[in-house]
């Protein structure tokens, strides 16, 4: 037993010795731990800088003397604020690494650096020097940055102030073909309230003003309760157009209420061009996310709809900005400066007076219209009714007023000229052109159809194509257009055949986006671009089935009849050259169709004979599209159409649609409105 105890003691003594030896080695290694080089420390500092880890830069990299001179708020907090306020991005810091001899046995080194970054006022690039000093902390030596303010911005010193001055760009105006303003920079009355000047029954006066301004009393009270409001300050409530002087007089006669004249975006044609021009408004957070890289800020005003939105980049220009340092002695140093660039004026092909004239004809009805110059492709008008007044959005539309627009059954907020509709019988000239172009028939060929309804075979079940006039004698293509015979064109579409008819319609631009700057829904042959049955093929021949067209496409689909078969590209910007979009059919064929369209008006039995006015030779085609939920329905709502131009003076072609014309005269209602444009 004694021997065993001795052996155990020896083992223990050896174990303790080994552990002690290992601890000694580790201590020696720790003592020999390599001190980072100035290059390594500066590299880590720059990495943290680029990642905007300003607190870490201050805590882990600044020298003791720098920390003594500059508090965290002077360095880390200021970095964060400056970089945020100036929208600093793309920071780059470059330098030449020091040779070992440059820092060996030295306590301080200086490294020349090149610093550059982007700001909201442009690029900043300058040279500086970073001083590093060797310090011992927690028994370890390391290199630390002798930080100074000019590493934030050039020439910045302690006690200096960083300032930014802005100069807003003047928004470009939207002008019509004759230089008349569709959207301009004008003046409006700013109605406001000075709280301390309210007298007597204040609540009653606020309610009275609210009623006059189309606001609620609560909305006015909310504005009065905002943090910045002081009793003597003017509190803006609503902007009012300059022409509403009587309204301004009534409101400002109430104690406490007054007005100022301020600059504002003005839309002289109001509702008549609302969906065309759109309006401007404050940028939303969602919009800013998409547009921030293009120079937009939280304070930006942008186009919300229409031409204002479409050409916003050109119209808005570029705000001027100057970043400068104000020194303690009052002198200044400019860090970066971006000169203001005012927005461009946009001149469009629209004729503002014609736009107003068409709107006046359609006012009170829901519908849309497009007017073009059929020889050049210039779009002269794009109208959607009913409409809103874009000036109301600039003036400050109340939530109750906007809710009223939203709930209006006629949907004035919807832009109808950007939508598609079944074109009804206005497509028959296109069907006729395709039939002649494919050699399916000739202009002289006749069909004898009896009665007012027809079906291809009993396979169609109860479904039949119907027509208004029962012309039981032989009927050629011209007479079929004059009488607007649905059965004739249903049979013609079947004669052409599904493949040829689809190809012919594509030759007129169906299934494609129109090459037009303003975004419009593309016209379609059907939801699939093909015909699923003979019934659908037949219905499409006279503009029903699943066929859909936007109103501008309907207008330009008639240009081949005036341009030897060429369908013109529609132009929106003034000065655009006339270009052919499609060669739809031969010159001979389209010439024949044009003669037939004249007879639709000239023939006493023609559906558009009411357009046969003196002083003009109007030609065109009417249409009525029935909107049924299914083929089984006996009837549905009806949209009326008329496409018309003056054969004698072809400088304007109008396509007009009025919704819900059933029991109101059908397409005849549209004819009467459109004809007035040619008087």
């Amino acid at each position: 037993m004694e021997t065993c105890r001795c052996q155990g003691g020896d083992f223990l003594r050896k174990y303790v010795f080994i552990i002690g030896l290992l601890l000694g080695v580790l201590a020696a290694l720790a003592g020999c731990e390599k001190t980072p080089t100035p290059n390594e420390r500066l590299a880590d500092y720059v990495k943290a800088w680029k990642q905007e880890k300003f607190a870490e830069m201050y805590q882990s990299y600044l020298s003791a003397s720098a920390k003594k001179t500059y508090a965290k708020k002077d360095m880390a907090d200021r970095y964060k604020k400056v970089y945020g306020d100036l929208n600093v991005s793309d920071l780059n810091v470059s330098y030449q690494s020091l040779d070992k001899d440059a820092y060996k046995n030295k306590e301080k080194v200086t490294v020349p650096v090149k610093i550059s970054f982007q700001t909201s006022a442009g690029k900043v690039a300058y040279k500086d020097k970073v001083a590093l000093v060797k310090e011992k902390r927690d028994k370890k030596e390391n290199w630390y940055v002798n930080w100074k303010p000019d590493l934030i911005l050039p020439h910045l010193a302690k006690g200096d102030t960083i300032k930014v001055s802005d100069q807003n760009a003047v928004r470009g105006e939207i002008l019509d073909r004759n230089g008349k303003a569709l959207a301009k920079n004008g003046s409006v009355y700013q109605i406001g309230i000075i709280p301390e000047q309210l007298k007597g029954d204040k609540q009653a006066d606020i309610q009275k003003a609210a009623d006059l301004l189309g606001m609620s009393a609560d909305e006015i009270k909310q504005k009065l309760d905002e943090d910045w409001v002081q009793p003597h300050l003017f509190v803006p409530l609503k902007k009012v157009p300059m022409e509403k002087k009587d309204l301004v007089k009534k409101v400002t006669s109430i104690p406490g209420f007054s007005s100022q004249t301020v600059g504002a975006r003005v839309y002289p044609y109001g509702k008549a061009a609302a969906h065309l021009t759109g309006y401007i408004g404050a940028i939303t957070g969602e919009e800013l996310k998409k547009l921030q890289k293009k120079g937009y800020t939280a304070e930006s005003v942008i186009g919300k709809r229409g031409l204002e939105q479409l050409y916003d980049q050109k119209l808005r220009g570029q705000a001027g900005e100057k970043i400068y340092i104000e020194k303690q002695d009052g002198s200044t140093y400019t860090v970066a400066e971006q000169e203001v660039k005012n927005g461009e004026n946009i001149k469009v092909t629209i004729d503002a007076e014609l736009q107003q004239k068409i709107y006046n004809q359609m006012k009170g009805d829901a519908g849309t219209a497009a007017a073009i110059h059929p020889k050049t492709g210039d779009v002269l008008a794009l109208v959607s009714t009913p409409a809103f007044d874009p000036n109301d959005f600039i003036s400050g539309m109340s939530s109750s007023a906007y809710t009223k627009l939203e709930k209006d059954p006629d949907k004035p907020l919807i832009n109808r000229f950007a939508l598609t509709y079944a074109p009804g019988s206005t497509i028959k000239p296109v069907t006729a052109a395709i039939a002649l172009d494919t050699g399916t028939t000739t202009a002289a060929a006749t069909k004898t159809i009896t009665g007012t309804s027809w079906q291809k075979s009993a396979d169609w079940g109860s479904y039949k194509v119907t027509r208004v006039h029962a012309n039981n004698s032989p009927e050629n293509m011209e007479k079929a257009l004059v009488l607007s015979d649905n059965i004739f064109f249903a049979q013609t579409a079947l004669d052409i055949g599904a493949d040829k008819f689809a190809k012919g319609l594509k030759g007129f631009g169906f299934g494609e986006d129109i090459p037009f700057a303003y975004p419009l829904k593309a016209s379609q042959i059907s939801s699939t671009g093909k015909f699923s049955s003979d019934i659908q093929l037949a219905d499409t021949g006279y503009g029903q089935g699943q066929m859909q067209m936007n109103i501008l496409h309907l207008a330009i689909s008639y240009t081949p009849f005036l341009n030897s078969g060429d369908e013109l590209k529609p132009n929106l910007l003034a000065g655009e050259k006339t270009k052919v979009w499609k060669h739809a059919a031969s010159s001979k064929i389209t010439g024949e169709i044009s003669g037939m369209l004249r007879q639709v008006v000239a023939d006493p039995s023609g559906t558009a004979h009411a357009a046969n006015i003196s002083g003009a030779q109007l030609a065109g085609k009417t249409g009525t599209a029935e909107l049924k939920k299914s083929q089984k329905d006996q009837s549905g709502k009806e949209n009326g159409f008329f496409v018309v131009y003056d054969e004698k003076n072809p400088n304007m072609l109008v396509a007009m649609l009025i919704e819900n014309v059933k029991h109101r005269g059908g397409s005849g209602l549209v004819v009467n409105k459109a004809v007035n444009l040619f008087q």
Side-chain angles (χ1 to χ4, degrees):
M1 292 296 291
E2 186 70 28
T3 304
C4 290
R5 282 198 296 271
C6 290
Q7 289 176 342
D10 291 341
F11 175 78
L12 182 60
R13 283 192 293 273
K14 290 179 180 178
Y15 178 76
V16 171
F17 173 77
I18 292 170
I19 293 298
L21 183 63
L22 288 172
L23 289 173
V25 171
L26 290 173
L29 288 173
C32 297
E33 184 178 341
K34 183 183 177 184
T35 301
T37 68
N39 296 326
E40 291 168 336
R41 283 291 280 173
L42 184 55
D44 290 342
Y45 177 80
V46 169
K47 183 178 180 182
W49 190 358
K50 288 183 176 180
Q51 294 173 350
E52 298 189 9
K53 295 180 178 179
F54 304 126
E56 181 183 329
M57 290 162 62
Y58 184 86
Q59 189 63 35
S60 303
Y61 292 93
L62 256 65
S63 68
S65 62
K67 284 185 177 181
K68 186 176 180 180
T69 306
Y70 303 102
K72 183 183 175 185
K73 66 180 179 63
D74 296 325
M75 185 271 194
D77 296 351
R78 195 174 194 188
Y79 254 127
K80 185 175 181 180
K81 178 170 174 52
V82 169
Y83 275 34
D85 291 348
L86 305 185
N87 294 312
V88 171
S89 62
D90 301 329
L91 172 68
N92 183 55
V93 182
S94 60
Y95 56 91
Q96 187 73 38
S97 295
L98 297 173
D99 293 334
K100 189 174 182 179
D101 290 341
Y103 59 82
K104 186 178 179 181
N105 299 323
K106 291 187 179 179
E107 300 299 313
K108 181 178 179 180
V109 295
T110 302
V111 182
V113 294
K114 292 180 180 179
I115 303 168
S116 67
F117 46 83
Q118 291 290 340
T119 71
S120 51
K123 187 175 182 179
V124 177
Y126 62 106
K127 295 178 181 180
D128 207 330
K129 293 179 181 179
V130 176
L132 294 99
V133 294
K134 189 182 289 185
E135 292 180 0
K136 196 169 188 177
R137 296 183 189 175
D138 300 325
K139 299 180 181 180
K140 295 179 184 177
E141 281 192 337
N142 212 335
W143 291 92
Y144 295 90
V145 176
N146 255 347
W147 185 85
K148 48 193 174 60
D150 61 7
L151 290 175
I152 296 180
L153 292 176
H155 295 272
L156 182 65
K158 189 174 184 180
D160 291 349
T161 304
I162 302 169
K163 293 192 173 183
V164 178
S165 64
D166 294 319
Q167 184 180 354
N168 291 328
V170 177
R171 191 172 181 86
E173 297 186 331
I174 302 174
L175 308 173
D176 86 337
R177 66 190 300 111
N178 300 310
K180 293 185 177 181
L182 290 163
K184 68 177 183 178
N185 301 313
S187 298
V188 296
Y189 290 111
Q190 174 73 73
I191 303 292
I193 184 170
I194 300 174
E196 67 180 13
Q197 293 181 7
L198 288 168
K199 298 177 182 178
D201 191 342
K202 299 177 183 179
Q203 300 304 319
D205 284 346
I206 287 174
Q207 185 63 62
K208 183 180 178 182
D211 292 340
L212 288 169
L213 294 172
M215 303 174 69
S216 69
D218 285 342
E219 286 176 298
I220 293 179
K221 290 173 184 175
Q222 284 174 10
K223 291 180 181 293
L224 289 172
D225 289 339
E226 291 180 8
D227 293 339
W228 64 271
V229 174
Q230 297 292 325
H232 65 286
L233 294 179
F234 179 87
V235 181
L237 297 177
K238 189 172 184 178
K239 292 174 181 174
V240 176
M242 296 299 287
E243 58 267 23
K244 293 188 177 181
K245 292 181 180 179
D246 290 343
L247 172 61
V248 174
K249 189 175 181 179
K250 288 178 182 178
V251 178
T252 55
S253 68
I254 302 170
F257 290 84
S258 60
S259 69
Q260 300 175 349
T261 300
V262 296
R265 196 69 163 173
V266 176
Y267 302 96
Y269 291 88
K271 291 182 179 181
H275 291 286
L276 176 65
T277 61
Y279 54 89
I280 59 173
I283 195 168
T284 65
E286 187 177 347
E287 290 166 335
L288 183 57
K289 283 182 182 178
K290 296 178 182 177
L291 298 170
Q292 197 163 16
K293 291 184 178 179
K294 294 184 178 180
Y296 290 79
T297 68
E299 289 73 41
S300 291
V301 171
I302 67 169
K304 295 290 186 178
R305 300 176 65 149
L307 297 173
E308 290 278 30
Q309 183 180 45
L310 183 64
Y311 293 111
D312 190 67
Q313 285 284 306
K314 290 185 176 181
L315 289 166
R316 69 187 295 266
Q318 190 174 49
E321 184 173 318
K322 181 180 178 180
I323 299 169
Y324 63 98
I325 296 168
E326 188 175 276
K327 312 295 284 184
Q328 292 187 72
D329 62 3
S331 62
T332 61
Y333 173 80
T334 300
V335 176
E337 185 172 11
Q338 180 172 275
E339 290 187 6
V340 65
K341 292 181 180 178
N342 291 331
E344 297 178 34
N345 288 345
I346 301 295
K347 192 171 186 179
V348 292
T349 58
I350 299 296
D351 183 325
E353 293 302 314
L354 177 62
Q355 178 88 14
Q356 182 73 63
K357 193 173 181 181
I358 294 174
Y359 176 81
N360 290 343
Q361 288 297 319
M362 299 178 66
K363 189 165 57 177
D365 287 301
T368 183
I372 63 172
H373 193 304
K375 289 291 187 178
T376 67
D378 285 358
V379 176
L380 304 176
L382 286 171
V383 177
S384 178
T385 57
F388 56 88
D389 189 343
N391 293 297
D392 290 342
F393 283 89
I394 302 301
S395 302
M397 182 176 288
S398 67
S399 57
S400 58
Y402 189 77
T403 299
K404 186 178 179 181
L405 285 175
E406 283 188 310
K407 292 184 176 180
D408 189 320
D410 283 332
K411 301 179 179 179
L413 292 174
I414 291 180
N415 181 2
R416 287 168 166 83
F417 66 72
L419 303 181
T420 55
Y421 300 82
S425 296
T426 55
I427 201 64
K428 288 173 182 174
V430 173
T431 301
I434 295 170
L436 296 177
D437 197 53
T438 55
T440 301
T441 186
T442 64
T446 61
K447 289 179 180 290
T448 301
I449 304 167
T450 58
T452 56
S453 63
W454 171 84
Q455 62 179 185
K456 180 182 178 182
S457 68
D459 292 343
W460 284 18
S462 61
Y463 184 72
K464 294 181 179 181
V465 177
T466 60
R467 63 180 181 174
V468 176
H469 303 286
N471 179 29
N472 297 324
S473 59
E475 187 175 281
N476 62 15
M477 189 173 284
E478 180 179 292
K479 196 64 176 178
L481 281 171
V482 167
L483 299 176
S484 199
D485 191 332
N486 289 346
I487 298 175
F488 183 98
F489 287 98
Q491 291 181 355
T492 299
L494 291 169
D495 293 342
I496 297 169
D499 292 342
K500 287 183 178 180
F501 193 38
K503 184 179 179 181
L505 289 171
K506 289 176 182 176
F508 273 84
F510 280 84
E512 291 184 38
D513 289 326
I514 298 178
F516 188 60
Y518 199 111
L520 306 173
K521 189 175 180 182
S523 301
Q524 66 174 42
I525 296 169
S526 70
S527 58
T528 63
K530 298 179 181 179
F531 302 109
S532 61
S533 66
D534 278 350
I535 290 177
Q536 190 183 87
L537 173 59
D539 283 346
T540 306
Y542 59 96
Q544 294 276 180
Q546 292 182 1
M547 173 176 271
Q548 297 276 302
M549 294 185 81
N550 64 65
I551 197 70
L552 180 59
H553 188 192
L554 179 59
I556 64 170
S557 69
Y558 276 58
T559 58
F561 308 133
L562 289 160
N563 294 291
S564 302
D566 290 336
E567 185 172 10
L568 302 184
K569 169 193 171 296
N571 297 326
L572 181 59
L573 290 177
E576 285 187 83
K577 293 181 179 179
T578 300
K579 291 183 179 179
V580 175
W581 179 31
K582 302 281 184 181
H583 183 72
S586 73
S587 174
K588 179 178 181 298
I589 289 168
T590 52
E592 288 178 316
I593 300 294
S594 183
M596 297 177 195
L597 293 177
R598 169 60 187 150
Q599 290 308 306
V600 171
V601 175
D603 192 312
S605 61
T607 57
H609 187 60
N612 196 36
I613 58 176
S614 61
Q617 293 180 9
L618 299 188
K621 183 71 188 77
T622 57
T624 305
E626 196 166 29
L627 310 179
K628 299 178 182 179
K629 292 182 179 179
S630 70
Q631 291 178 344
K632 294 180 181 179
D633 293 333
Q634 293 298 311
S635 63
K637 291 183 178 181
E638 291 180 357
N639 290 337
F641 292 84
F642 189 34
V643 183
V644 58
Y645 57 89
D646 186 352
E647 201 174 60
K648 184 179 180 181
N649 185 21
N651 58 7
M652 181 175 71
L653 182 153
V654 177
M656 184 180 291
L657 175 161
I658 300 292
E659 296 178 9
N660 302 323
V661 296
K662 196 170 186 178
H663 307 307
R664 298 172 61 213
S667 60
L669 174 70
V670 192
V671 171
N672 292 333
K673 290 177 180 293
V675 165
N676 290 330
L677 304 173
F678 292 86
Q679 295 287 1

